Amino acid sequence: MTRALLTGLVSGLCAMAFAAPATAAVRHAYAFRVTSASMSEVVSFQGDGGPACERAGMCGYSGRITYAFDHGDGYAIFLTGGRRIAGAGDFFFAGLTSAMVQPPGGLPACTDKVLHGADRFEVEGTAARPRLVFHPAFDAPRYLTTYCAGPSDRDIAHVRALPQLVLSARTLRHTKVHLEMSSTRSFHTGPFVGTVQFSVNIRMRRARDVAGIRHLLL
C-alpha cells in the first residue's frame, strides 16, 4: 500500500468516524476495491446581469470550466449501524481541470489548466438507501479553482447542482458493483447562471481484507 493511498484511506475513515453516530455500533462493514472510475464535470456559465453581477464586476463574463478524470482506482468502505450508514471512497488518477473564460469588451480570453491526482465521495443516508455525495462543501473541494473567473466548487455545492447517487441495500452485498449516473442541471449562484453536466462511472469489487480496513477506523 503506497503512502498516498494510506493517507487517503485514513482521511476517509476519519471523516466517517465523525459522520457516524457516536453511540451506534457498526453492524455491517462492506469494503471494496475500486477497479475503475471516471468522472466529468462541465460548468458552463455567464454573468447574470443583476445587482450581484454588477457588484462582483462579472457582468459580460462567460465561459466553461471542465474537470475530468478516467482510469481511476482506489478503495471504498460502507459502515452500517442501526438505520444509519456512513462511509467514503477515495479515487487516485491523473485528472485535469481546464478553463476558458471570455471577459467583456473584446479582451483576451483567460485560459488555465490544473492537474489533479485524487478525489473522493462521502456516504450519507440510511442503510436501506445509501447516497454517494460528490464534492460536498464540507470537503472544501477545489476542482473548479483556476486563475480564471467563474463559480467555485462551494458555489455549486450550495445550490446542489451535483446529483447524489442513490443505492439500494442489496447493492452492497454484491461481489461486483457498477455505479453509473449522469445529469444536466441549471444553477444560479452569486453573480453567475449556467448549467452543470455531471457524469460518474465506478466499478468496484468486494475486498477480502475487511478487518484490515476497519482497523484503521478503530
Side-chain angles (χ1 to χ4, degrees):
M1 181 177 290
T2 66
R3 181 183 299 272
L5 178 55
L6 180 59
T7 300
L9 280 173
V10 170
S11 64
L13 291 169
C14 287
M16 287 184 287
F18 286 109
T23 58
V26 175
R27 294 187 179 180
H28 299 286
Y30 304 96
F32 292 89
R33 183 169 64 90
V34 177
T35 58
S36 172
S38 63
M39 183 184 296
S40 174
E41 181 178 352
V42 181
V43 180
S44 302
F45 65 91
Q46 64 185 33
D48 67 1
C53 173
E54 293 179 0
R55 287 193 300 268
M58 291 291 104
C59 291
Y61 278 77
S62 62
R64 174 175 292 186
I65 305 173
T66 300
Y67 162 66
F69 70 83
D70 55 16
H71 303 296
D73 57 19
Y75 287 85
I77 192 166
F78 301 78
L79 304 177
T80 66
R83 296 183 60 253
R84 298 289 302 279
I85 190 167
D90 283 346
F91 305 127
F92 304 96
F93 52 81
L96 178 69
T97 295
S98 59
M100 177 174 288
V101 180
Q102 182 63 55
L107 296 173
C110 175
T111 60
D112 193 19
K113 295 182 184 296
V114 182
L115 298 176
H116 299 280
D119 201 340
R120 63 183 293 110
F121 63 77
E122 307 290 348
V123 179
E124 298 178 355
T126 66
R129 288 177 61 83
R131 302 192 307 270
L132 272 57
V133 183
F134 301 93
H135 304 168
F138 60 80
D139 274 353
R142 294 177 59 85
Y143 300 106
L144 302 180
T145 299
T146 70
Y147 285 120
C148 303
S152 67
D153 299 84
R154 186 176 294 273
D155 294 330
I156 297 301
H158 282 327
V159 294
R160 300 181 180 180
L162 294 187
Q164 298 181 353
L165 205 165
V166 181
L167 315 181
S168 70
R170 292 191 301 272
T171 301
L172 299 180
R173 302 190 187 105
H174 295 168
T175 301
K176 297 180 179 180
V177 175
H178 181 203
L179 307 175
E180 188 174 11
M181 175 183 64
S182 63
S183 73
T184 299
R185 293 185 176 182
S186 300
F187 71 87
H188 186 182
T189 177
F192 299 113
V193 294
T195 60
V196 179
Q197 296 172 286
F198 181 81
S199 64
V200 63
N201 194 318
I202 306 168
R203 293 183 183 273
M204 305 188 298
R205 182 188 295 271
R206 287 283 290 272
R208 295 180 180 179
D209 188 18
V210 178
I213 296 178
R214 285 186 61 182
H215 181 69
L216 293 174
L217 183 60
L218 300 178

